[in-house]
Amino acid sequence: LPGFAAYAERCREAMRIPQAAFCALEGYRWAFRSVLRLHGYRFVKLMQRPLVTPTLQLHGAADVAALPRTAQGSGRYVVAPYEWRLLDGVGHFPHLEAPDVVLGEILRWTKS
């Protein structure tokens, strides 16, 4: 991807900031540790409730971290209007990889 080397360098610089790596990983640590604790149990229960907010799900067709075929069934967790859009040529970070496409999709969706 054009500009990836510059983006990767900015990420390396950011991770050298004291405590940045710790903060970036804290969400993952919490997710694994908290499941056995009361607040983690409550969180899991809340996450099992369906969304009642209209939802637009944009997903990169080239995403190898969250495969499109796995994410495509997410609409079953939404009881409000739901729309799934698969973005060709886009990976795991659509807002960074194709910001104009993402903006266009959001504007289109909000007008509908």
Short mmCIF file of all heavy atoms in Angstrom, two decimals, residues 28-68:
data_model
loop_
_atom_site.label_atom_id
_atom_site.label_comp_id
_atom_site.label_asym_id
_atom_site.label_seq_id
_atom_site.Cartn_x
_atom_site.Cartn_y
_atom_site.Cartn_z
N TYR A 28 -6.89 -5.95 25.51
CA TYR A 28 -6.80 -7.39 25.32
C TYR A 28 -6.57 -8.10 26.65
O TYR A 28 -7.16 -9.14 26.93
CB TYR A 28 -5.66 -7.74 24.35
CG TYR A 28 -5.89 -7.19 22.97
CD1 TYR A 28 -5.17 -6.09 22.52
CD2 TYR A 28 -6.84 -7.75 22.12
CE1 TYR A 28 -5.38 -5.58 21.25
CE2 TYR A 28 -7.06 -7.24 20.85
CZ TYR A 28 -6.33 -6.16 20.43
OH TYR A 28 -6.54 -5.65 19.19
N ARG A 29 -5.70 -7.53 27.49
CA ARG A 29 -5.45 -8.12 28.80
C ARG A 29 -6.74 -8.17 29.61
O ARG A 29 -7.06 -9.17 30.22
CB ARG A 29 -4.40 -7.29 29.55
CG ARG A 29 -3.03 -7.88 29.52
CD ARG A 29 -2.12 -7.19 30.53
NE ARG A 29 -1.89 -5.79 30.27
CZ ARG A 29 -1.04 -5.30 29.38
NH1 ARG A 29 -0.32 -6.12 28.65
NH2 ARG A 29 -0.90 -4.01 29.22
N TRP A 30 -7.47 -7.05 29.59
CA TRP A 30 -8.71 -6.99 30.36
C TRP A 30 -9.70 -8.04 29.86
O TRP A 30 -10.35 -8.72 30.63
CB TRP A 30 -9.33 -5.59 30.27
CG TRP A 30 -10.55 -5.48 31.13
CD1 TRP A 30 -10.59 -5.13 32.45
CD2 TRP A 30 -11.89 -5.77 30.76
NE1 TRP A 30 -11.88 -5.17 32.91
CE2 TRP A 30 -12.70 -5.57 31.89
CE3 TRP A 30 -12.50 -6.17 29.58
CZ2 TRP A 30 -14.07 -5.75 31.88
CZ3 TRP A 30 -13.86 -6.37 29.57
CH2 TRP A 30 -14.64 -6.15 30.70
N ALA A 31 -9.82 -8.16 28.55
CA ALA A 31 -10.78 -9.10 27.98
C ALA A 31 -10.53 -10.53 28.45
O ALA A 31 -11.46 -11.26 28.74
CB ALA A 31 -10.74 -9.02 26.45
N PHE A 32 -9.26 -10.93 28.52
CA PHE A 32 -8.95 -12.29 28.94
C PHE A 32 -9.01 -12.48 30.44
O PHE A 32 -9.51 -13.49 30.92
CB PHE A 32 -7.58 -12.72 28.40
CG PHE A 32 -7.57 -12.92 26.93
CD1 PHE A 32 -6.94 -12.02 26.10
CD2 PHE A 32 -8.24 -14.00 26.36
CE1 PHE A 32 -6.95 -12.20 24.72
CE2 PHE A 32 -8.26 -14.18 24.99
CZ PHE A 32 -7.61 -13.28 24.16
N ARG A 33 -8.51 -11.53 31.21
CA ARG A 33 -8.49 -11.67 32.67
C ARG A 33 -9.85 -11.50 33.32
O ARG A 33 -10.14 -12.11 34.33
CB ARG A 33 -7.54 -10.63 33.27
CG ARG A 33 -6.10 -10.90 33.05
CD ARG A 33 -5.34 -9.87 33.84
NE ARG A 33 -3.97 -9.77 33.37
CZ ARG A 33 -3.20 -8.74 33.61
NH1 ARG A 33 -3.64 -7.72 34.30
NH2 ARG A 33 -1.98 -8.72 33.17
N SER A 34 -10.66 -10.61 32.78
CA SER A 34 -11.87 -10.22 33.49
C SER A 34 -13.01 -11.21 33.36
O SER A 34 -13.95 -11.15 34.14
CB SER A 34 -12.34 -8.86 32.98
OG SER A 34 -12.77 -9.00 31.65
N VAL A 35 -12.94 -12.11 32.42
CA VAL A 35 -14.07 -13.01 32.19
C VAL A 35 -14.43 -13.79 33.46
O VAL A 35 -15.60 -14.05 33.72
CB VAL A 35 -13.76 -13.97 31.02
CG1 VAL A 35 -14.85 -15.01 30.84
CG2 VAL A 35 -13.59 -13.16 29.74
N LEU A 36 -13.45 -14.12 34.26
CA LEU A 36 -13.71 -14.90 35.47
C LEU A 36 -14.08 -14.03 36.68
O LEU A 36 -14.40 -14.56 37.72
CB LEU A 36 -12.48 -15.76 35.81
CG LEU A 36 -12.08 -16.74 34.70
CD1 LEU A 36 -10.79 -17.46 35.07
CD2 LEU A 36 -13.19 -17.73 34.42
N ARG A 37 -14.04 -12.73 36.52
CA ARG A 37 -14.39 -11.82 37.61
C ARG A 37 -15.81 -11.30 37.41
O ARG A 37 -16.36 -11.34 36.31
CB ARG A 37 -13.40 -10.66 37.64
CG ARG A 37 -11.98 -11.13 37.90
CD ARG A 37 -11.02 -9.97 37.91
NE ARG A 37 -9.67 -10.46 38.12
CZ ARG A 37 -8.61 -9.93 37.58
NH1 ARG A 37 -8.70 -8.87 36.81
NH2 ARG A 37 -7.42 -10.43 37.82
N LEU A 38 -16.39 -10.77 38.48
CA LEU A 38 -17.79 -10.33 38.43
C LEU A 38 -18.01 -9.24 37.38
O LEU A 38 -18.95 -9.31 36.59
CB LEU A 38 -18.24 -9.83 39.81
CG LEU A 38 -19.70 -9.40 39.90
CD1 LEU A 38 -20.64 -10.54 39.49
CD2 LEU A 38 -20.03 -8.91 41.29
N HIS A 39 -17.14 -8.23 37.31
CA HIS A 39 -17.36 -7.17 36.33
C HIS A 39 -17.20 -7.70 34.91
O HIS A 39 -17.88 -7.25 33.99
CB HIS A 39 -16.45 -5.95 36.59
CG HIS A 39 -14.99 -6.22 36.45
ND1 HIS A 39 -14.27 -6.81 37.45
CD2 HIS A 39 -14.14 -5.98 35.43
CE1 HIS A 39 -13.01 -6.93 37.06
NE2 HIS A 39 -12.91 -6.44 35.84
N GLY A 40 -16.35 -8.66 34.72
CA GLY A 40 -16.21 -9.28 33.40
C GLY A 40 -17.44 -10.08 33.03
O GLY A 40 -17.90 -10.06 31.89
N TYR A 41 -18.00 -10.78 34.00
CA TYR A 41 -19.23 -11.55 33.77
C TYR A 41 -20.37 -10.62 33.37
O TYR A 41 -21.11 -10.90 32.44
CB TYR A 41 -19.58 -12.34 35.03
CG TYR A 41 -20.88 -13.09 34.92
CD1 TYR A 41 -20.96 -14.28 34.20
CD2 TYR A 41 -22.03 -12.61 35.53
CE1 TYR A 41 -22.16 -14.96 34.09
CE2 TYR A 41 -23.24 -13.28 35.42
CZ TYR A 41 -23.29 -14.46 34.70
OH TYR A 41 -24.48 -15.13 34.58
N ARG A 42 -20.48 -9.51 34.08
CA ARG A 42 -21.52 -8.52 33.75
C ARG A 42 -21.33 -7.97 32.34
O ARG A 42 -22.29 -7.79 31.59
CB ARG A 42 -21.51 -7.37 34.75
CG ARG A 42 -22.02 -7.74 36.11
CD ARG A 42 -22.01 -6.52 37.01
NE ARG A 42 -22.29 -6.92 38.37
CZ ARG A 42 -21.72 -6.38 39.43
NH1 ARG A 42 -20.87 -5.39 39.30
NH2 ARG A 42 -22.03 -6.80 40.63
N PHE A 43 -20.09 -7.69 31.98
CA PHE A 43 -19.78 -7.18 30.65
C PHE A 43 -20.19 -8.19 29.58
O PHE A 43 -20.83 -7.84 28.59
CB PHE A 43 -18.29 -6.85 30.54
CG PHE A 43 -17.87 -6.42 29.16
CD1 PHE A 43 -18.16 -5.14 28.70
CD2 PHE A 43 -17.18 -7.29 28.32
CE1 PHE A 43 -17.78 -4.74 27.43
CE2 PHE A 43 -16.80 -6.90 27.06
CZ PHE A 43 -17.10 -5.62 26.61
N VAL A 44 -19.84 -9.45 29.78
CA VAL A 44 -20.19 -10.50 28.82
C VAL A 44 -21.71 -10.59 28.68
O VAL A 44 -22.24 -10.71 27.57
CB VAL A 44 -19.59 -11.86 29.23
CG1 VAL A 44 -20.17 -12.99 28.42
CG2 VAL A 44 -18.07 -11.81 29.07
N LYS A 45 -22.43 -10.50 29.78
CA LYS A 45 -23.90 -10.55 29.73
C LYS A 45 -24.46 -9.37 28.94
O LYS A 45 -25.39 -9.52 28.15
CB LYS A 45 -24.50 -10.58 31.14
CG LYS A 45 -24.40 -11.92 31.81
CD LYS A 45 -25.20 -12.90 30.99
CE LYS A 45 -25.31 -14.23 31.63
NZ LYS A 45 -25.83 -15.23 30.70
N LEU A 46 -23.91 -8.17 29.17
CA LEU A 46 -24.36 -7.00 28.42
C LEU A 46 -24.07 -7.15 26.93
O LEU A 46 -24.85 -6.72 26.10
CB LEU A 46 -23.69 -5.73 28.96
CG LEU A 46 -24.21 -5.23 30.31
CD1 LEU A 46 -23.33 -4.09 30.81
CD2 LEU A 46 -25.66 -4.76 30.17
N MET A 47 -22.94 -7.75 26.60
CA MET A 47 -22.57 -7.93 25.19
C MET A 47 -23.47 -8.93 24.49
O MET A 47 -23.54 -8.97 23.27
CB MET A 47 -21.10 -8.36 25.07
CG MET A 47 -20.11 -7.29 25.47
SD MET A 47 -20.30 -5.76 24.53
CE MET A 47 -19.84 -6.29 22.91
N GLN A 48 -24.17 -9.75 25.25
CA GLN A 48 -25.07 -10.73 24.65
C GLN A 48 -26.43 -10.13 24.31
O GLN A 48 -27.23 -10.76 23.63
CB GLN A 48 -25.24 -11.93 25.59
CG GLN A 48 -23.97 -12.73 25.71
CD GLN A 48 -24.05 -13.82 26.77
OE1 GLN A 48 -24.97 -13.85 27.58
NE2 GLN A 48 -23.09 -14.71 26.76
N ARG A 49 -26.70 -8.93 24.78
CA ARG A 49 -27.96 -8.27 24.46
C ARG A 49 -27.88 -7.71 23.04
O ARG A 49 -26.84 -7.22 22.62
CB ARG A 49 -28.23 -7.15 25.45
CG ARG A 49 -28.44 -7.68 26.87
CD ARG A 49 -28.27 -6.61 27.89
NE ARG A 49 -29.51 -5.90 28.14
CZ ARG A 49 -29.58 -4.83 28.92
NH1 ARG A 49 -28.50 -4.34 29.49
NH2 ARG A 49 -30.74 -4.25 29.15
N PRO A 50 -28.99 -7.76 22.31
CA PRO A 50 -28.95 -7.23 20.94
C PRO A 50 -28.84 -5.71 20.93
O PRO A 50 -29.29 -5.03 21.84
CB PRO A 50 -30.28 -7.68 20.35
CG PRO A 50 -31.16 -7.92 21.52
CD PRO A 50 -30.28 -8.32 22.66
N LEU A 51 -28.22 -5.19 19.87
CA LEU A 51 -28.14 -3.74 19.67
C LEU A 51 -29.51 -3.22 19.26
O LEU A 51 -30.19 -3.83 18.44
CB LEU A 51 -27.14 -3.40 18.59
CG LEU A 51 -25.66 -3.56 18.91
CD1 LEU A 51 -24.82 -3.27 17.68
CD2 LEU A 51 -25.26 -2.67 20.06
N VAL A 52 -29.90 -2.10 19.81
CA VAL A 52 -31.19 -1.49 19.46
C VAL A 52 -30.98 -0.18 18.71
O VAL A 52 -31.90 0.59 18.54
CB VAL A 52 -32.06 -1.27 20.73
CG1 VAL A 52 -32.41 -2.60 21.37
CG2 VAL A 52 -31.34 -0.37 21.71
N THR A 53 -29.77 0.02 18.24
CA THR A 53 -29.40 1.22 17.51
C THR A 53 -29.21 0.88 16.02
O THR A 53 -28.57 -0.13 15.72
CB THR A 53 -28.07 1.78 18.06
OG1 THR A 53 -28.21 1.97 19.46
CG2 THR A 53 -27.69 3.08 17.40
N PRO A 54 -29.72 1.68 15.11
CA PRO A 54 -29.46 1.42 13.69
C PRO A 54 -27.95 1.30 13.46
O PRO A 54 -27.16 2.06 14.01
CB PRO A 54 -30.03 2.65 12.99
CG PRO A 54 -31.09 3.14 13.93
CD PRO A 54 -30.57 2.86 15.31
N THR A 55 -27.57 0.31 12.66
CA THR A 55 -26.16 -0.04 12.53
C THR A 55 -25.75 -0.21 11.07
O THR A 55 -26.41 -0.91 10.31
CB THR A 55 -25.88 -1.36 13.28
OG1 THR A 55 -26.28 -1.20 14.65
CG2 THR A 55 -24.42 -1.73 13.22
N LEU A 56 -24.64 0.42 10.71
CA LEU A 56 -23.99 0.20 9.42
C LEU A 56 -22.69 -0.50 9.73
O LEU A 56 -21.85 0.02 10.47
CB LEU A 56 -23.70 1.53 8.71
CG LEU A 56 -22.80 1.44 7.49
CD1 LEU A 56 -23.44 0.64 6.38
CD2 LEU A 56 -22.42 2.84 7.02
N GLN A 57 -22.50 -1.70 9.20
CA GLN A 57 -21.26 -2.43 9.41
C GLN A 57 -20.46 -2.42 8.12
O GLN A 57 -20.88 -2.97 7.11
CB GLN A 57 -21.52 -3.87 9.85
CG GLN A 57 -20.23 -4.62 10.11
CD GLN A 57 -20.46 -5.98 10.71
OE1 GLN A 57 -21.57 -6.35 11.08
NE2 GLN A 57 -19.41 -6.76 10.83
N LEU A 58 -19.30 -1.77 8.17
CA LEU A 58 -18.39 -1.74 7.03
C LEU A 58 -17.28 -2.73 7.30
O LEU A 58 -16.66 -2.70 8.38
CB LEU A 58 -17.82 -0.33 6.85
CG LEU A 58 -18.84 0.79 6.64
CD1 LEU A 58 -18.15 2.14 6.58
CD2 LEU A 58 -19.66 0.53 5.40
N HIS A 59 -17.01 -3.59 6.34
CA HIS A 59 -16.00 -4.63 6.57
C HIS A 59 -15.12 -4.77 5.33
O HIS A 59 -15.63 -4.81 4.21
CB HIS A 59 -16.68 -5.97 6.86
CG HIS A 59 -15.79 -6.93 7.55
ND1 HIS A 59 -15.73 -7.04 8.92
CD2 HIS A 59 -14.88 -7.80 7.07
CE1 HIS A 59 -14.84 -7.95 9.25
NE2 HIS A 59 -14.30 -8.42 8.14
N GLY A 60 -13.83 -4.84 5.54
CA GLY A 60 -12.89 -5.00 4.44
C GLY A 60 -12.88 -6.41 3.89
O GLY A 60 -12.77 -7.37 4.66
N ALA A 61 -13.00 -6.54 2.59
CA ALA A 61 -13.00 -7.86 1.96
C ALA A 61 -11.65 -8.55 2.12
O ALA A 61 -11.57 -9.77 2.10
CB ALA A 61 -13.34 -7.72 0.47
N ALA A 62 -10.58 -7.77 2.30
CA ALA A 62 -9.24 -8.33 2.45
C ALA A 62 -8.82 -8.44 3.91
O ALA A 62 -7.63 -8.62 4.20
CB ALA A 62 -8.24 -7.47 1.67
N ASP A 63 -9.75 -8.34 4.83
CA ASP A 63 -9.45 -8.43 6.26
C ASP A 63 -9.11 -9.87 6.62
O ASP A 63 -9.93 -10.77 6.44
CB ASP A 63 -10.65 -7.96 7.08
CG ASP A 63 -10.35 -7.81 8.55
OD1 ASP A 63 -9.34 -8.35 9.03
OD2 ASP A 63 -11.15 -7.14 9.24
N VAL A 64 -7.89 -10.09 7.12
CA VAL A 64 -7.49 -11.45 7.52
C VAL A 64 -7.54 -11.62 9.03
O VAL A 64 -7.37 -12.73 9.53
CB VAL A 64 -6.09 -11.81 6.98
CG1 VAL A 64 -6.09 -11.89 5.46
CG2 VAL A 64 -5.04 -10.84 7.47
N ALA A 65 -7.79 -10.54 9.77
CA ALA A 65 -7.90 -10.64 11.23
C ALA A 65 -9.32 -11.02 11.64
O ALA A 65 -9.52 -11.84 12.54
CB ALA A 65 -7.50 -9.32 11.88
N ALA A 66 -10.31 -10.41 11.02
CA ALA A 66 -11.72 -10.76 11.24
C ALA A 66 -12.28 -11.08 9.86
O ALA A 66 -12.60 -10.19 9.09
CB ALA A 66 -12.47 -9.60 11.88
N LEU A 67 -12.32 -12.35 9.55
CA LEU A 67 -12.70 -12.77 8.21
C LEU A 67 -14.11 -12.31 7.86
O LEU A 67 -15.01 -12.39 8.69
CB LEU A 67 -12.61 -14.29 8.09
CG LEU A 67 -11.22 -14.89 8.33
CD1 LEU A 67 -11.29 -16.41 8.27
CD2 LEU A 67 -10.23 -14.35 7.32
N PRO A 68 -14.30 -11.84 6.63
CA PRO A 68 -15.63 -11.38 6.23
C PRO A 68 -16.71 -12.43 6.44
O PRO A 68 -17.80 -12.11 6.91
CB PRO A 68 -15.45 -11.05 4.74
CG PRO A 68 -14.01 -10.68 4.62
CD PRO A 68 -13.30 -11.60 5.59
#
